[in-house]
C-alpha cells in the first residue's frame, strides 16, 4: 500500500507533489529546501544556515510521519556550489552523527536562488 503524507507543521509543498510517501516499510521524502515552516518563506543565508534549516525540515517531516533521522538509510544532497561541500558536511554531521546513512552529493543548478536541497529514504516498519 502506498500512502501520500503531509503532516501538520511543515512548509507547504511548492508544487504538485507529496512531502512524504510511505511504501511498505519505507518512507520517501521529497527534496527539502531552506524554507521556514512558520512563514512558508525561504530563509536565505550562508551554506551552514541553509543546511541547518533544510535538515531541520527533513527532521521535522520525518518525525511528523513517525520516523526519525536515525531511520534514514539513504540521503541525496544537492548543492549549487561544490565549494560549499565542507561547510555543508560539517552541519550534516551534527544531524546524522554516527548514523551515517548512504549518501550521494551532486552539484547542480537550481530554479530558485538556494544553495542546498536534501531528500532521503527512511526505513520505518509499521507499528503492529
Amino acid at each position: 500500500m502506498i500512502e501520500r503524507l503531509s503532516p501538520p507543521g511543515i512548509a507547504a509543498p511548492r508544487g504538485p507533489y507529496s512531502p512524504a510517501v510511505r511504501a511498505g516499510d519505507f518512507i520517501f521524502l521529497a527534496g527539502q529546501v531552506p524554507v521556514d515552516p512558520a512563514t512558508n518563506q525561504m530563509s536565505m543565508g550562508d551554506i551552514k544556515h541553509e543546511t541547518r534549516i533544510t535538515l531541520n525540515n527533513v527532521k521535522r517531516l520525518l518525525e511528523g510521519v513517525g520516523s526519525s533521522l536515525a531511520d534514514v538509510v539513504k540521503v541525496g544532497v544537492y548543492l549549487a556550489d561544490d565549494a560549499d561541500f565542507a561547510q555543508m558536511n560539517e552541519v550534516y554531521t551534527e544531524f546524522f552523527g554516527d548514523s551515517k546513512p548512504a549518501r550521494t552529493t551532486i552539484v547542480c543548478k537550481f530554479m530558485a536562488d538556494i544553495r542546498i536541497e536534501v531528500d532521503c529514504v527512511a526505513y520505518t516498519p509499521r507499528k503492529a
Side-chain angles (χ1 to χ4, degrees):
M1 181 162 111
I2 296 175
E3 297 173 77
R4 283 145 182 85
L5 308 168
S6 186
I10 62 164
R14 289 175 155 43
Y17 62 87
S18 298
V21 174
R22 177 184 273 279
D25 290 338
F26 288 93
I27 297 172
F28 299 83
L29 262 57
Q32 299 298 298
V33 295
V35 173
D36 179 342
T39 64
N40 209 36
Q41 299 297 313
M42 292 288 189
S43 182
M44 310 311 284
D46 65 16
I47 189 61
K48 285 185 172 184
H49 170 81
E50 289 192 27
T51 301
R52 192 165 279 109
I53 296 292
T54 299
L55 290 176
N56 272 320
N57 288 341
V58 167
K59 181 180 179 203
R60 185 178 294 108
L61 182 51
L62 285 167
E63 290 171 351
V65 297
S67 190
S68 73
L69 290 173
D71 297 320
V72 173
V73 295
K74 176 73 169 91
V75 176
V77 176
Y78 306 89
L79 294 174
D81 186 344
D82 61 344
D84 287 338
F85 180 84
Q87 290 184 11
M88 173 281 298
N89 207 42
E90 185 180 317
V91 175
Y92 179 94
T93 301
E94 293 173 18
F95 282 81
F96 286 101
D98 292 333
S99 294
K100 297 183 182 172
R103 182 176 84 186
T104 302
T105 304
I106 298 171
V107 175
C108 63
K109 181 171 174 37
F110 291 110
M111 293 184 300
D113 189 26
I114 59 173
R115 296 173 177 271
I116 187 168
E117 183 171 355
V118 176
D119 64 13
C120 69
V121 178
Y123 178 74
T124 308
R126 293 178 182 274
K127 308 286 188 262

